Amino acid sequence: MAEAGLTRADLERAAPREVRRAIREGRWRSNTKRLALGHHQANVTIVPERHAFDFMRFCFNNPKALPLIDVTEPGDPVPRKAAPDADLRTDVAEYLVLRDGQVAERARSLDKVWRKDHVAFLTGCNLSMDRVMLEAGMPLPHLQSEEAFPAQYRSSIACVPAGAFKGPLVVSLRPVPDALVVPLIELTGRYELSHGAPVHVGDPRRIGIADLSKVDWGRENAIAPEHTPMFWACGITAQAAAIASRIPEMIVHAPGRMFVTDLIVREAIS
Amino acid sequence: MAEAGLTRADLERAAPREVRRAIREGRWRSNTKRLALGHHQANVTIVPERHAFDFMRFCFNNPKALPLIDVTEPGDPVPRKAAPDADLRTDVAEYLVLRDGQVAERARSLDKVWRKDHVAFLTGCNLSMDRVMLEAGMPLPHLQSEEAFPAQYRSSIACVPAGAFKGPLVVSLRPVPDALVVPLIELTGRYELSHGAPVHVGDPRRIGIADLSKVDWGRENAIAPEHTPMFWACGITAQAAAIASRIPEMIVHAPGRMFVTDLIVREAIS
């Protein structure tokens, strides 16, 4: 749990800029669950400008999976709305460079990769809800043990395509005590930037998931007795589209290593 | 009030597709206030694909002025989300073609103007609120007389720029009985796609409007005693940006002649 002297508990209470600094300086390399609790965490998707309008429409067409939090001007690595003192080339713990839909490179920073035609998109993430979940007393596995992390699956639901981008909706599983199914739908439904209400509740086969033990991303979560599997749209949908559509170049955060923004989840007023 | 046998009262109760047909067939050429009451009306902004990503970011950066309802694939004149049986080349009563920020042409249809690199954006409009206003008993002038129409002004508030697009926030004035100022803020705040809550209430000089009689678009509305001027962000902001930024080509609806969508204002659930 400790990394270079830092514990998850330390960064749980830290301001977003402290978390970003720890990541930038290599003092935190693990996933970002519970970090800077209560602030929006974001999926990072970077594409060349020639694909950026297509990808922005793909976000607009699939808002439950890719709720747009920020988009940069071409070549500008600063997310001016979400974290004006951040740098998207350095403030994520690990990046994946996908070429033609395959992971071609893993990188600790984009200093040697970033170009002036790159555009970065930040989209919402379910980990943003960690504080809301804790305060509501929702006993989700990934909040209770260091090892646990949500499992993500390709579903049989197709995204609405846009230009070069098409692919399956990726969903994130949370096993939920039966009595909390309805309250959790109502609670998450209020947070559109964190994927809102689930896209499916119950039998995974109804959305094309035959075997919960075969996770596509994340870690398997056992479904305990008197628990119901609930599925939320997931930001990994962007990566799945790069793979399905063989997008020439897309740079993303490594799974679970999100970008931590300055935006407060409970302050959604525009 | 009658046009080719049609009255505003006829089209007030009509379905959106009936209104679009009347417009397409040249049977309705006036403004669209009160038409297909309760459905979203939209500002239309068409730009070549090379400016489309910049314009989409301009909408994202200025969501109170340009809340995005739909965006088409390049070359596709059908707004698949907002009205899948409509055609944006014909279903607006009058279009303006702006070149280098000047009105170069007025057209009843875009049949001879539309190209396969054109992208159409639909953004929210305050006229969408007409039914909500009527049902809430808000006595707004434009709903009470055929001649009245909201006045729009360039404000001193600058939009957040994006690529080639910059310019002033355009605001739309409603004179409101003093007792209804707070209820109207609360009411409109619930409808983000129709510009949400006002951007300013009270003295117009605070947002750079020295003389309410000098309207930039629409018609002057006198401020009666015990009434307060309230200003909402307005979709004409797109045109103002084309003018301020001398955008090479932008096609828009003529003032007050909006595109009528199938989307119901009260059904905002995603």
Side-chain angles (χ1 to χ4, degrees):
Chain A
M1 202 161 166
E3 286 200 23
L6 273 179
T7 66
R8 195 177 293 277
D10 293 330
L11 290 181
E12 181 171 311
R13 294 181 295 267
R17 89 175 60 82
E18 297 307 317
V19 174
R20 292 194 299 264
R21 184 186 300 164
I23 288 170
R24 186 162 61 241
E25 295 173 354
R27 291 181 289 118
W28 186 266
R29 295 179 168 187
S30 182
N31 69 63
T32 51
K33 69 177 182 176
R34 298 187 70 131
L35 303 194
L37 264 177
H39 294 86
H40 274 291
Q41 301 200 3
N43 293 269
V44 179
T45 308
I46 298 168
V47 294
E49 190 175 0
R50 71 180 187 282
H51 282 131
F53 177 51
D54 282 357
F55 186 72
M56 195 165 180
R57 294 202 314 288
F58 192 64
C59 293
F60 178 79
N61 289 349
N62 301 283
K64 288 205 103 164
L66 303 168
L68 194 56
I69 289 178
D70 207 351
V71 49
T72 64
E73 294 289 290
D76 182 4
V78 180
R80 307 268 162 196
K81 188 171 173 179
D85 71 351
D87 188 325
L88 288 168
R89 295 170 300 191
T90 53
D91 293 359
V92 169
E94 188 176 14
Y95 301 83
L96 306 181
V97 181
L98 303 172
R99 299 199 192 282
D100 300 320
Q102 307 271 346
V103 177
E105 197 180 329
R106 304 178 78 96
R108 292 281 187 198
S109 105
L110 298 180
D111 283 338
K112 294 175 182 168
V113 176
W114 180 264
R115 296 191 313 266
K116 65 182 179 185
D117 72 326
H118 275 142
V119 176
F121 295 83
L122 301 181
T123 58
C125 173
N126 210 301
L127 294 183
S128 307
M129 299 285 291
D130 285 353
R131 183 181 191 142
V132 172
M133 297 296 179
L134 287 164
E135 290 179 356
M138 297 286 178
L140 300 183
H142 81 280
L143 293 171
Q144 295 177 308
S145 92
E146 174 61 19
E147 294 69 34
F149 199 81
Q152 286 109 20
Y153 305 88
R154 284 184 180 84
S155 76
S156 56
I157 302 167
C159 288
V160 179
F165 293 85
K166 59 179 168 47
L169 179 72
V170 176
V171 294
S172 177
L173 165 66
R174 305 282 187 290
V176 176
D178 292 343
L180 295 179
V181 168
V182 170
L184 196 49
I185 292 173
E186 293 190 310
L187 181 68
T188 56
R190 293 178 206 149
Y191 295 93
E192 286 186 10
L193 287 180
S194 308
H195 304 300
V199 293
H200 180 64
V201 173
D203 186 351
R205 291 170 296 187
R206 302 290 281 273
I207 55 169
I209 303 169
D211 183 350
L212 285 180
S213 74
K214 295 180 178 164
V215 305
D216 289 314
W217 291 272
R219 290 194 186 174
E220 186 184 357
N221 281 260
I223 312 293
E226 293 175 29
H227 280 58
T228 297
M230 292 178 69
F231 297 90
W232 278 264
C234 177
I236 295 181
T237 298
Q239 265 180 76
I243 296 168
S245 311
R246 298 189 185 176
I247 299 299
E249 184 188 37
M250 179 188 282
I251 304 168
V252 298
H253 63 285
R257 276 95 176 140
M258 317 308 293
F259 175 76
V260 178
T261 78
D262 292 342
L263 304 174
I264 295 172
V265 174
R266 290 197 192 276
E267 285 180 2
I269 291 169
S270 61
Chain B
M1 199 162 169
E3 286 200 24
L6 275 179
T7 67
R8 196 176 293 276
D10 294 331
L11 290 181
E12 180 171 312
R13 295 182 294 268
R17 89 174 61 82
E18 297 306 318
V19 174
R20 293 194 298 265
R21 183 186 301 164
I23 288 169
R24 185 163 60 242
E25 295 174 354
R27 291 180 289 118
W28 186 265
R29 295 180 169 187
S30 182
N31 69 63
T32 51
K33 70 177 182 175
R34 299 186 71 129
L35 303 194
L37 265 178
H39 295 86
H40 273 291
Q41 301 200 2
N43 292 270
V44 179
T45 307
I46 298 167
V47 294
E49 190 174 0
R50 71 180 187 283
H51 282 131
F53 177 50
D54 282 358
F55 186 73
M56 195 165 179
R57 293 200 317 285
F58 192 64
C59 294
F60 178 78
N61 289 348
N62 301 283
K64 288 205 104 164
L66 302 168
L68 194 56
I69 290 179
D70 207 349
V71 48
T72 65
E73 295 288 290
D76 181 4
V78 180
R80 307 270 163 195
K81 188 171 174 180
D85 71 351
D87 188 326
L88 289 167
R89 295 170 299 192
T90 54
D91 293 0
V92 169
E94 189 176 12
Y95 301 84
L96 306 181
V97 181
L98 303 172
R99 298 199 191 283
D100 300 320
Q102 307 271 346
V103 177
E105 197 180 331
R106 305 178 78 96
R108 292 280 187 199
S109 105
L110 298 180
D111 283 338
K112 294 175 182 168
V113 177
W114 180 266
R115 295 191 313 266
K116 66 183 181 187
D117 71 327
H118 274 142
V119 176
F121 295 83
L122 301 182
T123 59
C125 172
N126 210 302
L127 294 183
S128 308
M129 299 285 291
D130 285 353
R131 183 182 191 141
V132 172
M133 297 295 181
L134 287 164
E135 289 180 356
M138 297 287 176
L140 300 183
H142 82 279
L143 293 171
Q144 296 178 307
S145 92
E146 173 62 20
E147 293 70 33
F149 198 81
Q152 285 110 19
Y153 304 88
R154 282 183 180 85
S155 77
S156 56
I157 303 167
C159 289
V160 179
F165 293 85
K166 59 178 167 49
L169 180 72
V170 176
V171 294
S172 178
L173 165 65
R174 304 282 188 291
V176 176
D178 292 342
L180 295 180
V181 167
V182 170
L184 197 49
I185 292 172
E186 294 191 308
L187 182 67
T188 56
R190 293 179 205 148
Y191 296 93
E192 287 185 10
L193 287 180
S194 308
H195 305 300
V199 293
H200 180 63
V201 173
D203 187 351
R205 291 170 295 188
R206 303 290 282 272
I207 55 169
I209 303 168
D211 183 350
L212 286 181
S213 73
K214 294 179 179 165
V215 305
D216 289 314
W217 291 272
R219 291 192 188 176
E220 187 185 355
N221 281 259
I223 312 292
E226 294 174 29
H227 280 59
T228 297
M230 293 178 69
F231 297 89
W232 278 265
C234 177
I236 295 181
T237 297
Q239 266 179 74
I243 296 168
S245 310
R246 297 189 187 178
I247 299 299
E249 183 187 37
M250 178 189 282
I251 304 168
V252 299
H253 63 284
R257 275 89 177 148
M258 318 308 292
F259 175 76
V260 178
T261 78
D262 292 342
L263 304 174
I264 295 172
V265 173
R266 290 198 192 275
E267 286 180 4
I269 292 170
S270 60

